[in-house]
Amino acid sequence: MSKQFIHVFSEIGRLKTVMVHRPGKELENLIPDNLTRLLFDDIPYLDEARNEHDQFVQVMEENGVEVLYLEKLVEESLTDETIKEKFIDEWLSEAGVASKAAQQAIKDYLFNMSSTFEMVLKTMEGFQKSEINIEHQEALSDRLETDNPLLVDPMPSLYFTRDPFATIGNGVSLNKMFATTRNRETIYGKYIFQYHPTYGNNHIEKYYDREMAYHIEGGDELVLSEDVLAVGISQRTTAQAIEELAKNLFENSPFKEILAFSIGVNRKFMHLDTVFTMIDYDKFTIHPEIRGDLKVFSLSQDHEGNIHIQEKVDQLDHILAEALGVDHVTLIECGNGNPVTSAREQWNDGSNTLTIAPGEVVVYDRNTVTNEALEAAGITLHKIKGSELVRGRGGPRCMTMPFYREKL
């Protein structure tokens, strides 16, 4: 049997290999005028964000996790000059540069960089106008000036590696993102799974593709068991995308059911994993505010290939217990159920935990009330600082993309 390079059949199996992105200079190209467009509420301090991220990586490595870096995987995927040029051309086509002269100047700049690794980082960082000398301005688009000091926007959300693609079983969902600015991030996944010496060359089954019509993001995709996938219907993921994913998943994997959680179109609940994560065989974190209007639908496939959809009318803990084949589950409320505390700590990703083994999770230390509730429930916590990282609205799960988890 060939080695399975992607192996993720749960949210809680011991984490062995994970992909991250160390925050880069893309954060220093955030300015007040582009915050809303780039989906940020504030500007993180890069040096401290890197320190926090390095501590996070150290915690994982000390617990036996192999940590891969997105930027290094992309570099390793650009194996020759032809592939490198193809990558630059595709990146440029989605960079929002109207001027043909500017496009050519940027392409020349990138292609002539001495280090492919630094070139990859530069595509993530974006370009200020002051960095590029545009000599030949022949078209009208070349002559139009704007007040924007940037020629190419940065990709500041890249350190949330959970979203551009999701690992499911032995395959991936290469996602179409909600916002244009984040959809560019999926180019990196495309080249990894097409050209990387280990992860490319059709080694990995694809259940969704960035060229498909409907948007879906990895923060909404949670692997509950070997049979069941949970997906949030949210601000960032549509019901139509879940149906497309279901068709491909049921036909090309051992998964038998998708539970679709309708959590509403709301920035504070942007993804399912901001309000709900699995932390043990029978335990979940949950933000109490989603319980009232939450609807859950079951998608399955019959022997003729038809998708059947049924609303699950029951208490959430009963639905989850049935899906997992356990007698009962415990839902541990963010903020220990206090409405003010839960709202504040959910905003700071108190519900967004990274499980590295059953009952063992990484959390931000700042969510003290939620962390006390987790510890009271017998969960082992690895606490990291996140005062700068959280400014991008994401927690430990958001910052990681598991490649390999041990089976339960």
Side-chain angles (χ1 to χ4, degrees), residues 359-371:
E360 188 174 349
V361 302
V362 183
V363 297
Y364 284 147
D365 62 0
R366 63 184 297 155
N367 297 308
T368 56
V369 177
T370 303
N371 291 345

Side-chain angles (χ1 to χ4, degrees), residues 84-136:
K84 182 176 174 181
E85 184 172 16
K86 181 180 177 182
F87 168 81
I88 292 171
D89 286 342
E90 186 163 2
W91 174 86
L92 259 176
S93 73
E94 299 185 23
V97 182
S99 163
K100 296 294 185 184
Q103 288 180 21
Q104 189 59 52
I106 292 170
K107 179 175 179 177
D108 292 342
Y109 183 106
L110 290 171
F111 199 75
N112 292 319
M113 291 181 74
S114 58
S115 164
T116 299
F117 182 73
E118 293 299 324
M119 184 273 287
V120 171
L121 293 181
K122 188 61 186 169
T123 64
M124 298 173 171
E125 175 187 339
F127 280 84
Q128 298 180 19
K129 286 180 177 176
S130 58
E131 296 177 276
I132 296 295
N133 180 26
I134 305 173
E135 296 180 354
H136 304 290

Side-chain angles (χ1 to χ4, degrees), residues 44-107:
Y45 172 38
L46 177 58
D47 287 352
E48 186 55 33
R50 281 175 163 168
N51 288 337
E52 292 172 359
H53 196 271
D54 290 344
Q55 180 204 0
F56 178 38
V57 168
Q58 182 179 350
V59 166
M60 290 191 288
E61 290 180 334
E62 288 174 349
N63 285 275
V65 181
E66 177 191 18
V67 179
L68 308 175
Y69 284 88
L70 169 67
E71 50 271 37
K72 188 66 177 175
L73 291 176
V74 179
E75 178 204 20
E76 293 167 351
S77 302
L78 305 182
T79 52
D80 61 42
E81 296 296 278
T82 300
I83 296 173
K84 182 176 174 181
E85 184 172 16
K86 181 180 177 182
F87 168 81
I88 292 171
D89 286 342
E90 186 163 2
W91 174 86
L92 259 176
S93 73
E94 299 185 23
V97 182
S99 163
K100 296 294 185 184
Q103 288 180 21
Q104 189 59 52
I106 292 170
K107 179 175 179 177

Side-chain angles (χ1 to χ4, degrees), residues 139-344:
L140 179 60
S141 61
D142 298 333
R143 298 170 182 267
L144 292 177
E145 273 294 331
T146 69
D147 294 332
N148 187 354
L150 293 164
L151 269 176
V152 179
D153 278 341
M155 301 187 208
S157 294
L158 269 171
Y159 69 92
F160 300 126
T161 54
R162 180 69 63 160
D163 298 324
F165 62 84
T167 51
I168 304 168
N170 299 130
V172 298
S173 165
L174 182 58
N175 295 330
K176 181 181 178 66
M177 306 289 275
F178 168 74
T180 301
T181 186
R182 290 210 70 184
N183 204 48
R184 294 183 298 150
E185 298 174 26
T186 66
I187 293 173
Y188 301 116
K190 174 180 178 177
Y191 277 77
I192 290 170
F193 293 117
Q194 192 165 349
Y195 296 112
H196 192 273
T198 300
Y199 298 104
N201 300 317
N202 297 314
H203 290 158
I204 311 299
E205 187 77 46
K206 294 187 184 69
Y207 305 126
Y208 205 85
D209 192 84
R210 70 188 300 270
E211 307 296 337
M212 297 177 77
Y214 305 108
H215 52 258
I216 184 170
E217 300 195 357
D220 282 315
E221 297 169 284
L222 283 70
V223 183
L224 296 182
S225 73
E226 295 183 19
D227 300 319
V228 184
L229 178 73
V231 186
I233 307 169
S234 70
Q235 183 193 53
R236 307 288 178 86
T237 294
T238 67
Q240 296 95 323
I242 296 172
E243 290 184 83
E244 291 295 323
L245 174 65
K247 292 174 187 175
N248 294 327
L249 195 67
F250 294 149
E251 289 174 5
N252 299 293
S253 84
F255 286 87
K256 297 179 176 62
E257 182 180 24
I258 290 180
L259 290 179
F261 291 74
S262 180
I263 63 173
V265 180
N266 191 318
R267 174 160 168 72
K268 67 180 179 179
F269 304 156
M270 71 175 77
H271 291 134
L272 183 60
D273 72 1
T274 65
V275 293
F276 176 80
T277 51
M278 188 173 181
I279 56 177
D280 205 347
Y281 294 102
D282 57 357
K283 295 182 181 70
F284 294 80
T285 63
I286 189 169
H287 181 41
E289 201 174 323
I290 71 162
R291 279 180 160 178
D293 297 326
L294 183 66
K295 290 185 176 181
V296 183
F297 300 89
S298 171
L299 284 74
S300 59
Q301 186 179 50
D302 64 22
H303 295 297
E304 296 178 354
N306 301 309
I307 302 294
H308 288 276
I309 302 172
Q310 178 184 4
E311 184 172 358
K312 307 283 282 188
V313 182
D314 202 343
Q315 295 182 61
L316 178 59
D317 56 338
H318 295 166
I319 294 171
L320 292 170
E322 180 186 19
L324 295 172
V326 297
D327 292 336
H328 68 276
V329 301
T330 300
L331 302 178
I332 303 168
E333 293 188 337
C334 183
N336 208 20
N338 179 282
V340 174
T341 307
S342 64
R344 184 183 71 250

Side-chain angles (χ1 to χ4, degrees), residues 383-404:
K383 300 173 186 177
I384 64 169
K385 295 188 179 300
S387 295
E388 296 304 313
L389 294 173
V390 81
R391 292 178 190 271
R393 303 272 70 85
R397 187 181 191 274
C398 294
M399 293 188 294
T400 50
M401 176 46 59
F403 275 26
Y404 203 102

